Amino acid sequence: MSDQLAFQVLGPWQAQLGTTPLPVPAGRLRSLLVSLVLADGEPLSIETLAEQVWPQGQPAKVRATLHTYVARLRHLVGHERLVSGPGGYRLIASADLHQFQALLAEALQQAESGETSGESELELLRAALALWRGRPFTEVSSTWLDQEVIPQLTDQWLTATERRIELELAAAGDAVGDELLDELTDLASEHPTREPVAAHLITVLHRTCQRAEALRAFRRIRDTLRAELGVPPGAELLALQRAVLLEGTLRTPPVSLVQRGPRRLPPAVLGFTGRYDELAALDALAGTGVIAIDGAAGIGKSALALYWVHRTADRLQLHLDLRGHGPGEPVEPAAAMATLLQTLGITADRVPAPLDERAALLKSALANRHAVIVLDNARDTDQVVPLLPGGDTLVIVTSRAPLDLPSAKRLTVGPLPPDQAVNLLAATPPATATALCKAYGGVPLALVIAEASETLGHSVADAVTAAVARLGPEAGKMFGLLALHPATGISLRAAAALWPTYRLIAHGTRLRN
């Protein structure tokens, strides 16, 4: 290949083949190309591509349609750059996004190792942030990008920016320039609920002898957090306010307000609201040890845990979905431990095979590191106990049923109170929101689905009926039979055992008719 295919996506969309701009028509073709670019050379199956290109409903002949788009792309980029194999299609190209993430990973590795100076980490962060030209994927229309990719990239950029500012403040001492103050003022305006940004702004204002402005900045984020999220400022911001009131000297922002170590969390749930008592309880229980959060399916356990942990920016943050309830088999403890170890930077060849040795290595890897681990969607006690490292680590476990975990502090999550449930449906007319809350009993997942159905102009029952109709007569009948199963989940073997029951019922109906 004589010319390299390159993309710039951290801002306005740009594609080049060598030095020549590559025009790619807007629409599905560009969305397909973006999916391949994001895969960074890894193959993507037809099914994955279809889900990403048509997230809200696939065409009837999706495979044939995708093959047509792939053929058009190959004509644009060359057959040798868009190749197919057993795993699907893959694109051979470079992108500023991958360079951005590689630089951030290197900076994070240096910060974690403690073997290099802050100056080296700062240079890497500045190099990564220089690639950012604005909102990613401008001029690409994609619901999948808007909901899943861009929010995570923006969070990465914000976290890196906050860390860069922290390092610059540590190096500058009292010699803080107007340029940094202007940047923080703009960031606080664009991200008014971002507590680390507010902490840096308050610090800079106080260092530059603008104590009254620093207190105004605190009041702004306090009022915004209460109005938009229904939560008070975190303990660290409150401590920062007290320091300003007492005229304390602020050389660097409070350590707990800066991101330390890997942050392997899904993004916080958009539109999270309420749960004041539960958040206060988590604040009171926080420290070390285990917090076990239980509650019914769809009640908001994971959303609560992730929202709270996103506010604890002082901790090394890890997340693992144990898949105790849902598609696929639950994650076994040995595999879960291997994933955690590799997230902490331990390569696969260094992960021992015996479970007890993995547990010892995990405990050693987390020693003297202020960490929080979210073990989400746990099946039972046996799945969780081997993953508890002890020491200074806080472990938050979410499960449907209460778990008997050693020395765990329990928190049961119930339905949202009526006033908080109505706030969850902010985009719905008040009368409709009140009716939905009454009908669905304050269960957040049910309310969100009901709101979406109302927005689309049909009821949840209509949506379910239409979905079952698309299954066909036999599968549709089986779907109805599964609804009679009393447990929250059912294995393939148990479902198969129910099938003769359906056949018997169907046969009996025909005999009566």
Side-chain angles (χ1 to χ4, degrees), residues 319-320 331 333-346 351 358:
H319 173 272
L320 186 61
V331 180
M337 214 170 295
T339 299
L340 290 173
L341 288 168
Q342 290 176 46
T343 302
L344 290 166
I346 297 170
V351 175
R358 290 187 180 187

Side-chain angles (χ1 to χ4, degrees), residues 10-70:
L10 298 179
W13 163 271
Q14 294 179 17
Q16 283 188 304
L17 191 55
T19 58
T20 305
L22 181 69
V24 181
R28 303 293 186 190
L29 191 67
R30 192 176 291 182
S31 296
L32 174 61
L33 185 54
V34 163
S35 294
L36 293 165
V37 169
L38 283 169
D40 194 16
E42 294 296 320
L44 291 181
S45 66
I46 289 285
E47 293 75 18
T48 299
L49 287 169
E51 289 174 1
Q52 294 176 358
V53 176
W54 292 281
Q56 295 177 309
Q58 299 174 13
K61 297 180 179 180
V62 64
R63 297 181 73 88
T65 304
L66 266 175
H67 287 315
T68 300
Y69 281 130
V70 168

Side-chain angles (χ1 to χ4, degrees), residues 194-417:
R194 194 82 177 187
E195 294 190 47
V197 170
H200 290 320
L201 177 59
I202 293 168
T203 299
V204 169
L205 288 169
H206 190 217
R207 282 198 198 175
T208 54
C209 302
Q210 300 180 66
R211 181 168 175 267
E213 285 299 323
L215 293 173
R216 288 191 191 97
F218 171 81
R219 287 195 294 271
R220 278 196 299 272
I221 189 168
R222 179 198 62 192
D223 295 344
T224 302
L225 288 171
R226 287 177 176 172
E228 295 190 11
L229 304 179
V231 297
E236 295 83 2
L237 265 180
L238 293 172
L240 185 55
Q241 179 213 21
R242 287 194 294 272
V244 176
L245 287 170
L246 295 172
E247 291 291 347
T249 301
L250 301 175
R251 288 286 177 256
T252 58
V255 171
S256 55
L257 278 173
V258 239
Q259 185 60 49
R260 295 284 190 186
R263 185 177 188 174
R264 300 294 185 263
L265 293 180
V269 175
L270 293 174
F272 182 93
T273 187
R275 297 296 188 196
Y276 314 122
D277 293 342
E278 291 87 347
L279 289 169
L282 286 172
D283 287 340
L285 295 173
T288 58
V290 181
I291 300 176
I293 303 176
D294 63 81
I299 208 70
K301 306 178 294 294
S302 298
L304 171 68
L306 289 173
Y307 180 80
W308 185 81
V309 172
H310 269 282
R311 298 169 65 213
T312 61
D314 62 317
R315 291 179 178 265
L316 180 155
Q317 300 169 343
L318 305 173
H319 173 272
L320 186 61
D321 183 358
L322 297 177
R323 299 203 303 268
H325 305 277
E329 292 297 318
V331 180
E332 293 302 322
M337 214 170 295
T339 299
L340 290 173
L341 288 168
Q342 290 176 46
T343 302
L344 290 166
I346 297 170
T347 57
D349 60 305
R350 293 174 53 208
V351 175
L355 183 62
D356 58 343
E357 292 184 21
R358 290 187 180 187
L361 183 57
L362 179 63
K363 184 174 182 179
S364 174
L366 290 170
N368 302 317
R369 299 172 79 175
H370 205 40
V372 58
I373 302 176
V374 180
L375 299 177
D376 211 355
N377 195 15
R379 173 187 56 191
D380 52 33
T381 302
D382 291 340
Q383 187 188 27
V384 174
V385 169
L387 306 177
L388 304 179
D392 294 332
T393 301
L394 171 65
V395 180
I396 299 178
V397 183
T398 72
S399 63
R400 293 185 181 179
L403 301 182
D404 184 20
L405 297 172
S407 305
K409 307 156 193 172
R410 283 266 314 277
L411 176 62
T412 299
V413 179
L416 281 168

Side-chain angles (χ1 to χ4, degrees), residues 32 59 84 91 96 98 103 109 147 158 176 185 210 221 253 282 301 325 328 348 350 365 417 448 463 482 484 497 511:
L32 174 61
S84 60
L91 185 70
D96 57 353
H98 305 310
L103 288 167
Q109 185 178 14
Q147 293 181 350
L158 268 172
V176 179
T185 301
Q210 300 180 66
I221 189 168
L282 286 172
K301 306 178 294 294
H325 305 277
R350 293 174 53 208
V448 171
L482 291 175
L484 301 176
L511 287 178

Side-chain angles (χ1 to χ4, degrees), residues 444-461:
L445 181 60
L447 289 172
V448 171
I449 294 173
E451 181 183 41
S453 300
E454 291 290 334
T455 302
L456 293 173
H458 51 67
S459 69
V460 175

